[in-house]
Amino acid sequence: QVQVVESGGGLVQAGGSQRLSCTASGLTFDNVGLGWFRQTPGMEREGVACINWSGAYTRYADSVMGRFTISRDNAKKTLYLQMNSLKPGDTAIYYCAATRAHAYASCSRSGTDYNYWGQGTQVTVSS
């Protein structure tokens, strides 16, 4: 049974930093592509960032480019999202997801390409 669990959310002031973590069990961690997504009520889910199996290939949404960094530690079976220069507009529930389909030469920021999802962690940025 695959389990994906996010951690690290909370309240942070605008301009501050926060790091999210995600662990995935029940699958071969270094055989999957991983992504971070976020959603706020009434808005479509946004693919924030993705990373391929080795970490050599990453993609970012324009809204977070230069501020967020996605990375992974396959030995620890953990995915990270380092978020810097946070803005109130970054407030959302952040989800981690895994896919076997887009794992190797590239990665996907489309949620429909992902098979396994965590429950999400709330990030709130105060102004």
Side-chain angles (χ1 to χ4, degrees), residues 80-107:
Y80 303 99
L81 184 69
Q82 178 66 44
M83 305 183 293
N84 298 328
S85 301
L86 281 161
K87 306 173 182 180
D90 295 317
T91 296
I93 299 175
Y94 284 72
Y95 298 91
C96 170
T99 176
R100 293 189 173 95
H102 296 268
Y104 299 106
S106 64
C107 66

Side-chain angles (χ1 to χ4, degrees), residues 47-88:
V48 175
C50 67
I51 189 167
N52 76 330
W53 74 276
S54 67
Y57 188 94
T58 58
R59 295 175 63 194
Y60 295 90
D62 289 344
S63 57
V64 306
M65 186 80 70
R67 300 187 298 121
F68 290 12
T69 302
I70 188 171
S71 63
R72 64 191 293 166
D73 185 332
N74 287 343
K76 295 181 178 180
K77 298 185 178 181
T78 303
L79 172 73
Y80 303 99
L81 184 69
Q82 178 66 44
M83 305 183 293
N84 298 328
S85 301
L86 281 161
K87 306 173 182 180

Side-chain angles (χ1 to χ4, degrees), residues 8-64:
L11 176 65
V12 62
Q13 286 190 333
S17 298
Q18 197 156 27
R19 188 175 80 161
L20 303 182
S21 299
C22 169
T23 59
S25 60
L27 47 72
T28 304
F29 191 81
D30 56 5
N31 276 358
V32 296
L34 297 166
W36 285 102
F37 297 81
R38 66 186 182 185
Q39 191 164 24
T40 56
M43 300 293 288
E44 288 190 4
R45 180 175 56 197
E46 179 184 22
V48 175
C50 67
I51 189 167
N52 76 330
W53 74 276
S54 67
Y57 188 94
T58 58
R59 295 175 63 194
Y60 295 90
D62 289 344
S63 57
V64 306

